[in-house]
Amino acid sequence: MFCCWGPRWGWVPCAPTPWLLLSLLVCAAPFGLLGEETRQVSMEVISGWPNPQNLLHIRAVGSNSTLHYVWSSLGPPAVVLVATNTTQSVLSVNWSLLLSPDPTGGLMVLPKSSIQFSSALVFTRLLEFNSTKVSEGTQPPGKAYPPYSLAEFSWNNITDSLDLATLSAVFQGHPVDDPTGAFVNGSLAFKVQAFTRSSRPAQPPRLLHTADVCQLEVALVGAAPRGKHSLFGLEVATLGPGPDCPSLKEQRSMDDEYAPAVFQLNELLWGSSPSGFMQWRPVAFSQQQRARESALPCQISSLNPTLAYSLPHSPIVQAFFGSQNNFCAFNLTFGAPTGPGYWDQHYLCWSMLLGVGFPPVDTLSPLVLGVMAVALGAPGLMLLGGGLFLLLRHKQYSEYQSIN
Ligand SMILES: *[C@@H]1O[C@H](CO)[C@@H](O)[C@H](O)[C@H]1NC(C)=O
Ligand SMILES: *[C@@H]1O[C@H](CO)[C@@H](O)[C@H](O)[C@H]1NC(C)=O
Ligand SMILES: *[C@@H]1O[C@H](CO)[C@@H](O)[C@H](O)[C@H]1NC(C)=O
Ligand SMILES: *[C@@H]1O[C@H](CO)[C@@H](O)[C@H](O)[C@H]1NC(C)=O
Ligand SMILES: *[C@@H]1O[C@H](CO)[C@@H](O)[C@H](O)[C@H]1NC(C)=O
């Protein structure tokens, strides 16, 4: 959080304790504004018998609100996110409509009047770029190979991966048509997880989450790249309440023990807070053992308004929003031409949070606070000591003067 850092740092070197306390209070304030401390979360696979399709409903009930996250691999992987101001709102699915050519109205959250906010994300394509002879930081990071359309993937049955203890489920897929056999040993997985309270995962990037968010981990494992230096990316489309694209906010953060060497926290915000948000650290990992050595930069392209017909059709998004056209699309790319990469172990993993309300605010880890207290305390003591010394000297000097 910027309020802890910034230029104030050097200002109050001799009063570390009150200053630290003050900044802690300032940093802690946004927590009071967060939606709910805890939520009662249920996770359910809604079956579409006799045409089974993966439809995962996460319902998170708070003291006076309910959040609904509906994830599906019907079409490209997508999520519809709905926030309501009642504890009673329910999801209603009309399968015959949802599976029809015009699914509008097939997915509803009732009562409609309780809806405070709704939006959607669609993961449209897996991108691959040839980054040989490309200089660092260029966008796109090389010549694009033909992308894999995620609408043309075949997905596992999420019922098998549903884990109610950790509130998680995994959509794992591979291309239906795979003429080159690139995915013979490989898959793309979307692991969705919900939370009942605020916490921080054990694995980097250790994004702080609250009960208001859903975490997504995307992992590409074992797929054969088409070049020696292939960089992968994801094309994502969003649909928000208005015609504007969500705004990108890049927050500086410090090199904290929670996220070593990652100085940034990125957010996409639909309108001004509190609304919907997507939050991630611009880092991906090229090994299951997520560490500094396997950290890859993650870059986001500009957000471009995009017409629905140019994107793979997402039945659940149309089912909830109707035939809306105000999509925005952007690309995320993982890795740089040099350094660690997917090529090391044919492994890539990236995670993000999706939520409503105020995005979780990172505070400093106790270790870093301790280090700061010591670092700020030492000069403080020295100054204090120096001041006393000068005072005493001055006194001595005056006494000396008076003697003369
Ligand atoms: C997944 O498996 C369950 C039973 O294990 C079945 O009821 C459901 O229809 C299957 N879903 C899909 C999408 O195949
Ligand atoms: C919901 O409850 C929180 C505290 O539990 C309260 O601060 C907030 O004003 C309530 N919101 C509404 C819309 O009643
Ligand atoms: C689902 O939608 C169809 C078409 O609008 C309608 O005929 C049917 O009654 C609906 N089913 C339910 C259970 O509401
Ligand atoms: C898949 O795995 C098998 C056995 O490990 C290996 O022989 C084969 O080359 C792999 N195929 C691809 C496309 O990676
Ligand atoms: C994402 O990258 C692909 C491949 O370079 C490109 O065709 C597509 O237009 C990009 N999409 C956006 C939204 O920038």
Side-chain angles (χ1 to χ4, degrees):
M1 192 41 200
F2 212 71
C3 65
C4 294
W5 298 100
R8 282 192 226 170
W9 212 134
W11 273 60
V12 216
C14 52
T17 317
W19 175 76
L20 263 181
L21 276 179
L22 182 71
S23 66
L24 273 178
L25 282 177
V26 172
C27 285
F31 277 109
L33 301 171
L34 277 181
E36 302 275 353
E37 292 265 298
T38 63
R39 285 183 184 273
Q40 218 149 20
V41 180
S42 62
M43 200 169 204
E44 182 192 12
V45 178
I46 301 177
S47 105
W49 191 88
N51 293 304
Q53 287 290 345
N54 282 327
L55 194 68
L56 178 73
H57 178 213
I58 298 168
R59 185 167 183 267
V61 185
S63 59
N64 54 14
S65 65
T66 305
L67 308 179
H68 299 267
Y69 292 91
V70 184
W71 292 85
S72 182
S73 57
L74 178 58
V79 54
V80 171
L81 145 63
V82 184
T84 64
N85 65 359
T86 160
T87 54
Q88 308 294 320
S89 60
V90 291
L91 177 73
S92 152
V93 183
N94 181 330
W95 279 101
S96 53
L97 263 182
L98 185 58
L99 299 175
S100 73
D102 180 8
T104 304
L107 206 64
M108 286 189 287
V109 168
L110 301 171
K112 274 191 171 165
S113 60
S114 70
I115 297 177
Q116 304 294 298
F117 177 80
S118 58
S119 69
L121 286 184
V122 186
F123 298 88
T124 48
R125 301 193 289 177
L126 175 68
L127 310 168
E128 186 177 352
F129 301 91
N130 179 356
S131 76
T132 19
K133 298 191 195 132
V134 170
S135 50
E136 202 100 3
T138 35
Q139 267 297 344
K143 198 170 166 297
Y145 292 104
Y148 296 100
S149 168
L150 299 186
E152 286 146 36
F153 266 44
S154 127
W155 301 92
N156 69 330
N157 184 337
I158 49 164
T159 310
D160 305 330
S161 66
L162 186 70
D163 181 354
L164 294 179
T166 57
L167 292 171
S168 65
V170 183
F171 294 85
Q172 193 171 27
H174 55 85
V176 175
D177 275 329
D178 190 12
T180 62
F183 278 79
V184 166
N185 301 325
S187 70
L188 179 68
F190 289 78
K191 181 180 178 186
V192 174
Q193 190 170 10
F195 309 96
T196 56
R197 60 182 63 252
S198 185
S199 171
R200 197 186 287 276
Q203 284 260 65
R206 307 202 61 197
L207 272 176
L208 178 72
H209 59 72
T210 65
D212 300 336
V213 309
C214 213
Q215 178 177 276
L216 171 68
E217 265 178 25
V218 182
L220 177 68
V221 183
R226 282 172 279 186
K228 264 194 175 160
H229 270 73
S230 277
L231 295 189
F232 285 90
L234 268 182
E235 186 184 60
V236 187
T238 73
L239 186 64
D244 295 331
C245 280
S247 55
L248 175 68
K249 197 169 144 202
E250 298 187 336
Q251 286 202 42
R252 295 268 127 194
S253 69
M254 62 136 352
D255 187 13
D256 196 0
E257 96 178 280
Y258 290 136
V262 184
F263 295 90
Q264 212 173 310
L265 190 63
N266 288 358
E267 281 166 6
L268 277 189
L269 302 165
W270 282 265
S272 54
S273 275
S275 68
F277 63 85
M278 191 179 138
Q279 188 188 61
W280 71 98
R281 284 201 186 271
V283 63
F285 295 94
S286 67
Q287 290 179 28
Q288 231 148 353
Q289 196 63 44
R290 301 182 201 171
R292 206 183 285 241
E293 300 74 48
S294 60
L296 314 175
C298 160
Q299 289 185 328
I300 182 170
S301 70
S302 56
L303 282 87
N304 304 313
T306 306
L307 296 174
Y309 67 77
S310 64
L311 296 168
H313 170 70
S314 168
I316 65 158
V317 173
Q318 195 191 334
F320 186 83
F321 290 94
S323 307
Q324 282 201 33
N325 240 335
N326 40 343
F327 281 90
C328 281
F330 59 92
N331 282 346
L332 293 161
T333 49
F334 311 108
T338 54
Y342 180 77
W343 48 82
D344 292 331
Q345 301 200 346
H346 291 187
Y347 181 90
L348 179 71
C349 179
W350 170 78
S351 50
M352 60 161 255
L353 300 179
L354 177 68
V356 278
F358 292 92
V361 177
D362 238 328
T363 50
L364 297 172
S365 66
L367 177 72
V368 169
L369 278 179
V371 169
M372 268 174 61
V374 170
L376 287 176
L381 284 177
M382 274 165 70
L383 256 160
L384 202 68
L388 275 175
F389 176 74
L390 282 179
L391 208 73
L392 288 175
R393 247 187 77 104
H394 183 70
K395 217 175 154 196
Q396 272 179 359
Y397 183 69
S398 336
E399 276 163 9
Y400 179 74
Q401 287 257 314
S402 64
I403 288 167
N404 279 294

